Amino acid sequence: MNSLLIFLGLLPESIKFGLIYSIMVMGVYITYKILDFPDLTVDGSFTLGGFTFAATMLIFPNHPIIGLLVAAISGTLAGLVTGLLHVRYGINKLLSGIITMTALYSINARVLNKPNVFLENEQSWFFIISYEKYFSIFTVIAIVLLIIKFLYDRRIKPDKYVYKSLLIYILIYVFSIAYIYYTKDITMYLLLLIVFVVKLIMDYILTSKFGLILRALGDNEILVSNLGVSVDKVKIMGLMLSNLLVASSGALFAQYIKVVDLSSSVGTIIIGLASIIFGMGIIKRTRSINNISIVILGSIIYYIIINFALNSSSITDEIFYVLGFNSDIIQKLSVKPTDVKIITALFLAVILALGKKRGKSNA
């Protein structure tokens, strides 16, 4: 019971972390699912976003938007380097990402000449906004964004899917606004808006001419080349876009926890892949819900599952007790925060195995 209460209490925080990481997951989705490019640069560009944000705050204090822009640019440059290593010098996809990731570790350490740095409240969006001042503004912005999405969907979808999609987003908005109104949690509102804006931009990009070429490139590189399109340029632009998102996510993460640390990006690629696999393994893609929406939900689901797993120690302890284990063994088997990686691995293995089994049964 205690574990359940703790889990429910931490649920909003899990959703927030899921939203922050969902921007990174969108970046991983571009390389992993669209370009078929196993880009390990993200393990370095995520932290790069945090460090460049912190460095910018030393020059432009109280202007986090400038720091976020600088972080995005730094991520773009990281993606450019990986792209050039692969395209210009013919280095293997995996190795080009590893090389950039390795270099970024030292670069990140040199940005501030510190392995970690703390941010002040006024250097973070999440701590300079107030419910009283921004709730009405955010509500107007949210309504405008919903209208923009509706109008854009009408251009690319049949009407029945447009209205289904709109209904889904209205329901999400109603539940979100109810929670925010009663809890005064304005940071949740801000994160929802940021992720929604990024999602709309990504939807536009992926349905544009460039997006169609990008998706075609991952499926059939020769076909794209035969169409007279520069495959190399598209690859590089895809990597730049991906790492722009990753670094932006890193900057938001740094703002939220108010700490930038060299080790904060360890396993970022695993979180990204896990979120994509969770989302696509659990949620079925339809004309109403596209893949970008699915990977965002996958990121949130990932953090909710991890939160539940890490706070289920009393439940597992009770199970072990019923099975007749003594207290020493129960203490050793009890779920600990360090078990997050093995929990992730087990969930991934189960979802992938079920997906493969389902694929065989449909064949």
Side-chain angles (χ1 to χ4, degrees):
M1 187 65 181
N2 288 335
S3 293
L4 181 60
L5 291 175
I6 293 171
F7 165 72
L8 292 174
L10 292 174
L11 188 59
E13 289 301 309
S14 300
I15 294 172
K16 288 178 189 177
F17 278 109
L19 288 169
I20 291 170
Y21 272 100
S22 70
I23 298 173
M24 176 274 295
V25 175
M26 287 185 241
V28 175
Y29 172 77
I30 292 172
T31 52
Y32 174 68
K33 292 295 287 185
I34 295 180
L35 283 177
D36 192 24
F37 195 113
D39 183 23
L40 293 182
T41 310
V42 299
D43 266 15
S45 57
F46 185 83
T47 310
L48 178 66
F51 271 100
T52 51
F53 175 84
T56 307
M57 287 298 94
L58 296 177
I59 304 170
F60 300 101
N62 309 323
H63 292 88
I65 185 66
I66 298 175
L68 190 60
L69 289 172
V70 173
I73 293 169
S74 69
T76 305
L77 294 175
L80 174 63
V81 171
T82 301
L84 290 175
L85 286 173
H86 173 62
V87 169
R88 192 81 176 267
Y89 301 103
I91 298 174
N92 176 277
K93 292 178 181 179
L94 187 63
L95 287 176
S96 59
I98 291 173
I99 291 169
T100 309
M101 175 192 69
T102 305
L104 283 175
Y105 185 88
S106 296
I107 292 170
N108 290 336
R110 281 183 170 272
V111 170
L112 293 171
N113 289 318
K114 294 178 182 178
N116 52 61
V117 64
F118 292 89
L119 299 175
E120 301 295 333
N121 283 349
E122 59 270 15
Q123 295 175 329
S124 169
W125 260 352
F126 303 110
F127 295 93
I128 61 176
I129 59 173
S130 63
Y131 176 86
E132 293 76 15
K133 186 176 180 180
Y134 285 92
F135 180 79
S136 299
I137 297 171
F138 286 175
T139 301
V140 172
I141 293 172
I143 293 170
V144 170
L145 290 174
L146 283 171
I147 293 171
I148 291 172
K149 174 174 171 48
F150 172 72
L151 294 175
Y152 184 70
D153 281 353
R154 291 197 67 182
R155 292 176 53 192
I156 61 173
K157 296 179 183 178
D159 281 349
K160 66 175 182 177
Y161 296 112
V162 171
Y163 290 109
K164 281 183 181 179
S165 178
L166 181 64
L167 178 61
I168 291 169
Y169 279 94
I170 288 175
L171 289 173
I172 292 172
Y173 177 71
V174 169
F175 282 114
S176 300
I177 204 75
Y179 165 79
I180 294 162
Y181 180 78
Y182 285 107
T183 62
K184 306 294 189 286
D185 190 354
I186 197 66
T187 58
M188 178 72 83
Y189 212 163
L190 177 59
L191 280 171
L192 285 167
L193 289 177
I194 291 172
V195 172
F196 194 30
V197 168
V198 175
K199 179 213 156 16
L200 291 178
I201 294 171
M202 288 302 299
D203 284 347
Y204 175 76
I205 290 173
L206 293 178
T207 53
S208 66
K209 183 179 178 181
F210 168 74
L212 295 174
I213 293 171
L214 193 68
R215 286 189 284 174
L217 180 62
D219 293 331
N220 194 328
E221 190 172 314
I222 296 173
L223 174 64
V224 174
S225 179
N226 289 338
L227 291 173
V229 177
S230 174
V231 170
D232 293 346
K233 285 184 180 179
V234 175
K235 275 186 183 179
I236 291 173
M237 290 176 71
L239 287 165
M240 290 170 69
L241 176 60
S242 170
N243 284 280
L244 179 152
L245 293 169
V246 173
S248 300
S249 177
L252 288 172
F253 180 75
Q255 289 182 70
Y256 189 71
I257 66 171
K258 296 197 296 181
V259 178
V260 185
D261 190 273
L262 276 176
S263 62
S264 63
S265 67
V266 175
T268 301
I269 186 67
I270 300 300
I271 295 172
L273 294 176
S275 299
I276 292 169
I277 293 167
F278 281 161
M280 295 190 164
I282 296 171
I283 305 166
K284 185 179 179 182
R285 182 183 180 276
T286 67
R287 294 292 296 274
S288 303
I289 303 176
N290 62 16
N291 284 339
I292 292 296
S293 299
I294 288 173
V295 299
I296 292 170
L297 292 172
S299 178
I300 296 170
I301 291 168
Y302 170 80
Y303 270 94
I304 290 174
I305 290 173
I306 295 301
N307 174 25
F308 177 76
L310 292 177
N311 289 286
S312 62
S313 57
S314 65
I315 298 172
T316 54
D317 290 352
E318 186 67 26
I319 293 171
F320 293 143
Y321 178 78
V322 171
L323 292 173
F325 292 104
N326 62 46
S327 57
D328 290 336
I329 295 176
I330 291 174
Q331 187 176 3
K332 289 179 181 178
L333 294 177
S334 182
V335 178
K336 299 177 177 63
T338 50
D339 296 330
V340 64
K341 299 298 182 185
I342 192 170
I343 292 169
T344 302
L346 288 172
F347 274 118
L348 283 174
V350 170
I351 289 177
L352 288 171
L354 290 174
K356 194 167 185 179
K357 188 175 180 180
R358 186 168 55 189
K360 285 182 179 179
S361 64
N362 292 335

